[in-house]
């Protein structure tokens, strides 16, 4: 009887196709609404991607030419006098010479706004230089750049700047600058190196802190060890719970907390990343303890080994290599994260980077960006190789 | 001589795995224990070296009641009882040699062994044991790089290191193919015949039991349903042990 009823009910469910197509349209409609709202609220504006591209090109070109290497500079300076305004006795031109550098002006006195031609002789050939105006009072002004030719000669037309008139003579200076010797790391590179080292050490300390706390806790958070009694199960749940909560709070937030607590600097970064590492490593370690194969423990016990020997020969080989692998991986992650942590007060290279970005010093920022990229890549590679060796 | 008297094992959940078992094994015997899965073979073997605590009964070996021993005394007895497992139970990440050497842990200075040091004679003996089971060339490989048959030979070498007078083998060939099964069982048979080591071995297949056993006991639901010579198991007995629907499978 009941079997027959069931059989009759089944065809009644046949028009499901229509029902589900209505449902499909409904879902589609809601989906479109959600995406339309999301598009609006995230202020997506594809036009700006194109229109404002030149802004970013400027920054990117500076970042890809980082201020890593520098060379010593030498310069050659020649000065001549100029009178402003003109009097009855304008200053004389510099004396011409066979080999010594000298300047010749089209006239040696004049008024602001008048054109003036500056010609140089016997300068360092094929070198970039600057023409400057040095008034007796007030600040020096750069007026033009020039390149000397193969004979060390140049001619450059300038316009006399509007400077305060005075009885004392003004000076026109040319300065040629060139680089000598081998390139060496710039000041920026040295600062970045220092801070990068600080970042790596920060990550090391955070990882160490994580390991020292997580190793003992991992045994208390392993279900197979803790399921002996109700009391131990309570400990297991409490520690697991703490791990999960701490892990779900971003290191960035820990960094803000600790920066307030112990002040901005690498120590705050160590605590922030350490906190996160304890939870992350604790979880991974305890899972490793949970997956221990009891077979070897049984076998080693059966040979007449004592508890210490059994742990060393049957347990340690099972957990130490994965522990090491997780630890190295964590250090790798911590190096990466500590650059970000630095930006909110955790010290290290991240702090430097954010400062330079705020000061719009993109060439310097570029050095930091490249240093981070290289170090993260190297850490990634090394940790990968080491992990493969261990596990 | 090994005497098992009224041995009973009841697990925490209430499962009676072994029920009031009594039998004796004379020195130099090759006793095979057969029975269906869940009949209590593993439990029985593990009770003998106290990997599992018996609930009741006594196990007397050469006049010593193993069930009364504790700590140091138990370990002194265990080191003469080699054990071979179905899943080999090697430490997978350790080298083959280290696995074999661990068979010596009951004998060596615990502190020296704790830092991984073994006497030179032990290392030589370990290499000798590996040579004996034909895998000397694998000594420095990681244990999990070996095939199943090779791993079980490492298991035998580990037991050999104990210089055992009794070997407990819990379905030593259940995870191996027939040809490999025979080669493994032959090593155990050699030990039994040439060195007089007493063997207690559980096996799934009656045909294997017939080929190697000097005596067979059969368990069913933790109780002994047969004890006698291999030839005494006829069709009626077989059905009694394995159930009415069972058919004999030959392993050659
Ligand atoms: N640790 C344990 N806790 C509770 N019950 C167990 C435990 N180990 C085994 N048992 C039960 O005891 C009974 C006997 O198990 P045992 O492993 O000794 O059988 P076996 O003959 O070795 O089987 P197999 O051929 O499958 O290895 C089974 O019912 C099993 O479920
Ligand atoms: Mg079993």
């Amino acid at each position: 009887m009941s079997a027959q009823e069931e059989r009759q009910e089944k065809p009644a469910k046949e028009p499901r196709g229509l029902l589900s197509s209505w449902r499909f349209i409904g879902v589609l409609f809601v989906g479109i609404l959600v995406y339309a709202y999301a598009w609006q609220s995230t202020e997506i504006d594809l036009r700006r991607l194109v229109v404002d591209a030149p802004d970013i090109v400027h920054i990117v070109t500076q970042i890809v030419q980082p201020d890593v290497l520098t060379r010593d500079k030498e310069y050659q300076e020649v000065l001549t006098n100029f009178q402003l305004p003109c009097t009855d006795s304008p200053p004389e031109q510099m004396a011409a010479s066979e080999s010594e550098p000298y300047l010749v002006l089209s006239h040696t006195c004049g008024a602001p706004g008048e054109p003036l031609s500056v010609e140089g002789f016997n300068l360092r050939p094929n070198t970039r230089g600057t023409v400057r105006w040095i008034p007796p009072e007030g600040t020096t002004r750069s007026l033009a750049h020039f390149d000397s030719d193969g004979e060390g000669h140049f001619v450059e037309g300038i316009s006399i700047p509007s400077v305060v008139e005075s009885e004392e003579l003004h000076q026109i200076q040319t300065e040629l600058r060139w680089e000598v010797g081998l390139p060496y790391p710039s000041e920026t590179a040295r600062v970045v190196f220092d801070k990068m080292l600080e970042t790596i050490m920060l990550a090391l300390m955070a990882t160490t802190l994580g390991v020292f706390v997580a190793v003992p806790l991992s045994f208390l958070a392993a279900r197979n060890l803790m399921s002996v009694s109700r009391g131990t199960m309570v400990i297991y749940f409490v520690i697991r719970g703490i791990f999960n909560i701490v892990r779900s709070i971003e290191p960035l937030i820990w960094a803000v907390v600790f920066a307030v607590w112990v002040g901005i600097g690498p120590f705050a970064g160590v605590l922030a990343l350490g906190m996160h590492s304890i939870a992350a490593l604790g979880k991974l370690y305890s899972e490793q303890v949970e997956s221990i194969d009891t077979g070897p423990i049984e076998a080693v016990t059966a040979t007449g080994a004592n508890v210490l020997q059994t742990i060393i020969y049957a347990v340690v080989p099972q957990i130490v290599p994965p522990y090491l692998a997780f630890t190295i991986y964590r250090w790798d992650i911590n190096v990466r994260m500590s650059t970000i942590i630095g930006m909110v007060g955790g010290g290290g290279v991240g702090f430097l980077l954010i400062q330079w970005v705020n000061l719009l010093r993109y060439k310097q920022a570029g050095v930091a960006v490249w240093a981070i990229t290289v170090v993260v890549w190297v850490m990634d590679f090394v940790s990968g190789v080491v992990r493969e060796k261990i596990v | 001589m090994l005497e098992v008297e009224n041995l009973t094992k009841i697990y925490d959940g209430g499962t009676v795995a072994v029920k009031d078992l009594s039998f004796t094994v004379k020195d130099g015997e090759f006793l095979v224990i057969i029975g269906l899965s869940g009949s209590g073979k593993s439990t029985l073997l593990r009770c003998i070296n106290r990997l599992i605590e018996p609930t009741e009964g006594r196990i007397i070996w050469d006049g010593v009641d193993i069930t009364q021993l504790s700590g140091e005394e138990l370990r002194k007895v265990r080191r003469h009882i080699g054990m071979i497992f179905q899943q080999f139970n090697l430490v997978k990440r350790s080298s083959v040699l280290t696995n074999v050497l661990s068979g010596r842990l009951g004998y060596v200075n615990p502190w020296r062994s704790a830092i991984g040091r073994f006497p030179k004679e032990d290392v030589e003996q370990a290499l000798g044991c590996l040579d004996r089971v034909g895998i000397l060339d694998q000594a420095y490989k990681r244990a999990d790089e070996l095939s199943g048959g090779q791993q079980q030979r490492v298991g035998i070498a580990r037991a050999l290191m104990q210089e055992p007078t009794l070997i407990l083998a819990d379905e030593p060939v259940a995870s191996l193919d027939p040809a490999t099964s025979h080669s493994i069982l032959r090593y155990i048979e050699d030990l039994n015949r040439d060195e007089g080591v007493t063997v207690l071995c559980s096996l799934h297949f009656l045909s294997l039991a017939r080929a190697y056993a000097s005596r067979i006991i059969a368990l069913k639901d933790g109780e002994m349903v047969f004890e006698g010579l291999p030839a005494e198991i006829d069709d009626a007995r077989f059905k009694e042990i394995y159930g009415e629907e069972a058919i004999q499978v030959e392993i050659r």
Side-chain angles (χ1 to χ4, degrees):
Chain A
M1 159 85 186
S2 68
Q4 217 159 20
E5 265 177 4
E6 262 176 31
R7 224 172 268 160
Q8 276 171 349
E9 251 173 341
K10 266 192 182 153
K13 283 181 184 171
E14 201 59 25
R16 254 198 152 209
L18 191 69
L19 194 90
S20 64
S21 77
W22 276 114
R23 194 177 293 166
F24 175 72
I25 290 170
V27 169
L28 194 70
F29 184 67
V30 171
I32 289 171
L33 278 184
V34 169
Y35 275 101
Y37 181 72
W39 184 278
Q40 276 243 304
S41 60
T42 53
E43 296 175 18
I44 288 174
D45 184 356
L46 296 178
R47 191 185 53 90
R48 294 197 59 177
L49 268 180
V50 181
V51 175
D52 296 344
D55 290 1
I56 195 68
V57 168
H58 165 70
I59 294 173
V60 170
T61 42
Q62 294 211 38
I63 286 176
V64 297
Q65 303 177 319
D67 167 27
V68 182
L69 294 176
T70 184
R71 295 171 71 193
D72 277 333
K73 290 192 174 64
E74 284 188 355
Y75 49 90
Q76 184 185 43
E77 199 183 82
V78 187
L79 287 164
T80 186
N81 294 326
F82 191 84
Q83 196 177 48
L84 190 149
C86 281
T87 61
D88 296 343
S89 53
E92 288 187 7
Q93 295 275 9
M94 285 181 83
S97 153
E98 280 287 303
S99 57
E100 288 300 303
Y102 65 96
L103 300 177
V104 175
L105 304 176
S106 53
H107 38 283
T108 58
C109 78
E114 285 178 10
L116 177 69
S117 147
V118 184
E119 194 172 3
F121 298 91
N122 299 335
L123 296 162
R124 188 171 189 274
N126 304 318
T127 309
R128 182 135 262 250
T130 312
V131 181
R132 293 205 187 90
W133 193 279
I134 308 178
E137 285 159 34
T139 50
T140 307
R141 296 191 195 183
S142 291
L143 298 180
H145 295 289
F146 62 87
D147 290 297
S148 62
D149 65 15
E151 264 93 53
H153 171 257
F154 81 94
V155 187
E156 187 71 30
I158 58 169
S159 156
I160 298 171
S162 39
V163 289
V164 182
E165 301 184 356
S166 70
E167 285 180 14
E168 276 177 72
L169 291 177
H170 293 241
Q171 286 186 306
I172 292 169
Q173 180 207 46
T174 61
E175 187 189 81
L176 287 80
R177 279 177 163 272
W178 64 96
E179 294 179 327
V180 291
L182 290 173
Y184 60 91
S186 67
E187 182 60 26
T188 311
R190 270 174 287 165
V191 174
V192 167
F193 182 83
D194 270 4
K195 288 288 163 183
M196 195 72 232
L197 210 62
E198 186 180 299
T199 293
I200 295 171
M201 294 299 121
L202 188 163
L204 176 70
M205 291 311 279
T207 313
T208 310
L209 174 66
V211 170
F212 273 97
V213 181
V215 166
L217 288 185
S218 68
F219 293 97
L220 300 178
R223 195 182 200 106
N224 55 342
L225 300 183
M226 300 305 282
S227 56
V228 277
S229 77
R230 190 159 292 174
T232 54
M233 272 316 262
V234 170
I235 298 174
Y236 163 82
F237 279 116
V238 168
I239 293 183
R240 262 288 148 109
I242 293 174
F243 280 173
N244 285 335
I245 293 167
V246 172
R247 222 161 39 93
S248 65
I249 300 172
E250 283 295 318
L252 218 57
I253 293 168
W254 285 117
V256 173
V257 170
F258 284 114
V260 171
W261 188 348
V262 300
I264 287 181
F267 183 45
V270 168
L271 293 173
L273 286 178
M275 207 64 194
H276 194 73
S277 298
I278 290 171
L281 285 176
K283 184 156 186 292
L284 289 173
Y285 288 171
S286 60
E287 276 165 7
Q288 202 57 45
V289 175
E290 281 172 358
S291 70
I292 279 181
D293 179 6
T294 53
I297 298 176
E298 206 180 22
V300 172
T301 308
T303 65
N306 65 24
V307 176
L308 177 72
Q309 290 172 320
T310 308
I311 290 174
I312 290 173
Y313 281 86
V315 179
V316 167
Q318 290 195 60
I319 61 170
V320 167
Y323 270 35
L324 271 178
F326 288 140
T327 307
I328 291 167
Y329 184 48
R330 198 72 227 166
W331 187 22
D332 174 13
I333 293 176
N334 279 345
V335 168
R336 209 171 319 168
M337 282 219 245
S338 61
T339 60
I340 296 169
I341 290 293
M343 296 184 189
V344 296
V349 74
F351 195 51
L352 207 60
L353 174 60
I354 203 76
Q355 278 179 325
W356 278 331
V357 169
N358 288 340
L359 294 170
L360 309 181
R361 291 167 65 178
Y362 295 115
K363 274 201 172 203
Q364 277 91 339
V367 180
V369 169
W370 283 111
I372 292 168
T373 311
V374 169
V375 168
V376 166
W377 184 82
V378 169
M379 282 298 294
D380 207 44
F381 179 76
V382 171
S383 92
V385 170
V386 174
R387 267 181 292 149
E388 207 152 287
K389 279 259 156 67
I390 292 173
V391 181
Chain B
M1 192 157 80
L2 179 73
E3 293 158 274
V4 175
E5 292 178 3
N6 309 101
L7 183 71
T8 299
K9 172 65 191 179
I10 305 170
Y11 283 109
D12 282 345
T15 313
V16 184
V18 171
K19 204 189 277 175
D20 199 24
L21 265 188
S22 298
F23 60 91
T24 41
V25 189
K26 289 197 210 65
D27 287 346
E29 264 196 284
F30 196 124
L31 179 78
V32 169
I33 303 155
I34 58 171
L36 283 174
S37 188
S39 59
K41 304 183 295 292
S42 300
T43 306
L44 167 62
L45 288 171
R46 280 172 173 73
C47 280
I48 291 173
N49 64 357
R50 298 258 309 273
L51 286 179
I52 290 176
E53 280 306 318
T55 311
E56 263 172 54
R58 302 202 302 163
I59 292 156
I60 297 161
W61 189 39
D62 292 340
V64 180
D65 184 354
I66 295 180
T67 54
Q68 295 302 312
L69 302 179
S70 63
E72 195 64 23
E73 292 168 330
L74 176 60
R75 268 182 271 127
K76 287 246 161 70
V77 169
R78 271 181 182 161
R79 67 186 192 183
H80 296 292
I81 305 176
M83 193 154 189
I84 300 167
F85 303 84
Q86 176 182 349
Q87 300 302 336
F88 324 130
N89 288 359
L90 303 181
V91 182
K92 295 189 177 63
R93 285 203 185 86
S94 297
S95 72
V96 167
L97 185 63
T98 305
N99 270 287
V100 176
L101 279 168
S102 70
R104 206 70 200 157
L105 287 172
Y107 292 91
V108 298
N109 177 335
W111 299 110
R112 270 174 62 92
S113 71
I115 55 167
R117 293 193 162 274
F118 283 89
K120 219 170 140 201
E121 313 87 72
D122 286 354
V123 178
E124 274 160 22
Q125 192 187 342
L127 293 171
C129 289
L130 282 172
D131 197 17
R132 194 162 156 189
V133 294
I135 48 169
L136 181 58
D137 52 333
Q138 314 284 334
Y140 298 98
K141 281 200 183 162
R142 254 172 69 143
D144 58 2
E145 287 172 25
L146 271 55
S147 71
Q150 289 172 322
Q151 290 194 33
Q152 192 58 295
R153 293 189 214 189
V154 178
I156 293 176
R158 177 173 61 193
L160 283 178
M161 284 299 281
Q162 295 178 240
E163 294 173 358
T165 48
L166 172 65
I167 281 188
L168 307 172
D170 186 15
E171 289 177 28
V173 296
S175 345
L176 303 174
D177 62 71
T180 315
S181 295
H182 277 296
S183 81
I184 292 292
L185 285 171
R186 254 177 235 131
Y187 281 116
I188 300 176
E189 190 182 38
D190 286 349
L191 276 174
N192 173 253
R193 196 173 37 211
D194 303 343
E195 285 163 44
V197 179
T198 311
V199 176
L200 258 77
C201 177
S202 66
L203 290 173
H204 259 138
F205 289 103
L206 185 58
S207 59
L208 285 177
R210 281 207 176 107
Y212 295 95
S214 61
R215 200 154 60 94
I216 294 179
I217 63 176
L219 299 182
K220 192 176 183 183
D221 299 330
E223 290 181 280
M224 189 147 37
V225 291
F226 171 83
E227 177 178 10
L229 298 175
E232 289 170 14
I233 303 182
D234 52 20
D235 269 6
R237 289 265 192 233
F238 178 81
K239 289 213 154 63
E240 203 177 305
I241 300 164
Y242 287 99
E244 288 299 326
E245 282 99 64
I247 38 164
Q248 284 202 45
V249 185
E250 283 289 311
I251 298 279
R252 288 180 193 281

